[in-house]
Amino acid sequence: MPGWLHVQSRRLQLLARPRRPEALPVTLDRHRIYVLPTGFGLFLGTLLAVMLLGALNYNNNPALLLALVLATSALASALHAHLQLSSLRLRALSAEPVTAGQPLRLRLALARDDHRPRRGLQLSYGTASACVDLLQGEQVEADLWLPTERRGWLPLQRIRLSTLQPLGLVRAWGWVWPATPVLVYPAPERNAPPLPDTGDRGTHTRPDPLGDDLQQLRPYRHGDARRAIAWKHSARRDSLLVREHERATGNELLLDWHALGPLPHEHRIARLARWVDDAEREGRRYRLLLPGQPALGPSSGDAHRHQCLRALALMPAA
């Protein structure tokens, strides 16, 4: 029976708006906000119906007045719950990529088009949920932690915004369906072998303005950056001198897809992902070669790591 109820609930969700992914920002209007009584609300409704019947049967005016006042309060709370979500806007969402198997932090930016405070808002996505309040600020951020299972683009499903405010008699909710997938890196191999030996053990250098080692001082030339001027040495020589830096280029790693021929397709991706992390951890420069794609690198750093892991995550399935 629980499985049947879950299937029926999923079918009803397909009838709710929106029926397809939509671009952000998204505003909840009256056409996409739904209101139904909670269990406590149904109990109160039954109690008020009994009170009304009893008051009419015995011609008890105070009881009739009390029942009508309580019914009016319940209807007002339903209207207030609807207004809690009305004109609520999901401006943007973002997520930093994580490796498959780790929870992904989805950050949602909520705002409002009016000055009414919003309290007790709940965002839910599957088993993940978060509670936020929109009081004086114009925008608030909420975090949802989503489970990840496999690499590649993770298409987002419906995100529910709901509230039980102010009295918990009704639940008002609406759906947003962002058309913004998030990226999941491949899970690295757990017990991978050491980084491959490329055979290049010599260390060479080349001029590089972003290098770490000072190569020489030379006279200033038109177009040189001001930050490269050696002011102390220039003061002693009465002429502008410029620092020239160099960067070591030897011992660059080659991470080649075709060199892992005996391994299965997904196993190759996991090993290359581990080697990319190991190369970054050791501060090595590396080049990644994948079939059907231009070589990535040689380079290092967060941007290069993201570029390589993104290429591995988006590799077609075997």
Side-chain angles (χ1 to χ4, degrees), residues 69-126:
V69 169
L70 292 177
T72 303
S73 300
L75 292 176
S77 70
L79 177 61
H80 188 78
H82 184 280
L83 292 176
Q84 286 283 299
L85 298 183
S86 180
S87 300
L88 194 64
R89 184 169 69 257
L90 177 61
R91 282 187 174 177
L93 62 84
S94 61
E96 292 292 333
V98 297
T99 58
Q102 294 183 349
L104 182 142
R105 181 187 183 187
L106 184 67
R107 308 193 69 178
L108 306 170
L110 294 174
R112 54 185 178 174
D113 291 337
D114 49 42
H115 299 288
R116 294 195 309 270
R118 308 306 208 274
R119 296 181 176 88
L121 299 177
Q122 185 174 18
L123 292 91
S124 56
Y125 183 100

Side-chain angles (χ1 to χ4, degrees), residues 251 253 277-286 299-301:
N251 200 15
L253 292 174
D277 288 339
D278 290 344
E280 286 291 340
R281 191 178 301 110
E282 297 180 10
R284 306 275 294 275
R285 288 169 57 84
Y286 55 94
S299 184
S300 61

Side-chain angles (χ1 to χ4, degrees), residues 134-156:
L134 266 172
L135 299 177
Q136 301 300 327
E138 295 182 356
Q139 178 172 312
V140 68
E141 290 187 353
D143 295 340
L144 289 176
W145 294 89
L146 311 184
T148 60
E149 297 180 357
R150 52 181 177 267
R151 63 179 177 87
W153 291 116
L154 175 64
L156 297 177

Side-chain angles (χ1 to χ4, degrees), residues 18 22-28 32 88-92 175-178:
E22 52 192 350
L24 298 181
V26 174
T27 302
L28 293 181
R32 49 193 298 170
L88 194 64
R89 184 169 69 257
L90 177 61
R91 282 187 174 177
W175 301 95
V176 292
W177 196 347

Side-chain angles (χ1 to χ4, degrees), residues 217-220 228-243:
L217 294 174
R218 60 168 177 80
Y220 175 84
I229 298 176
W231 296 103
K232 291 184 179 180
H233 296 84
S234 300
R236 298 171 187 167
R237 297 280 300 272
D238 293 331
S239 62
L240 291 179
L241 299 177
V242 176
R243 301 186 188 92

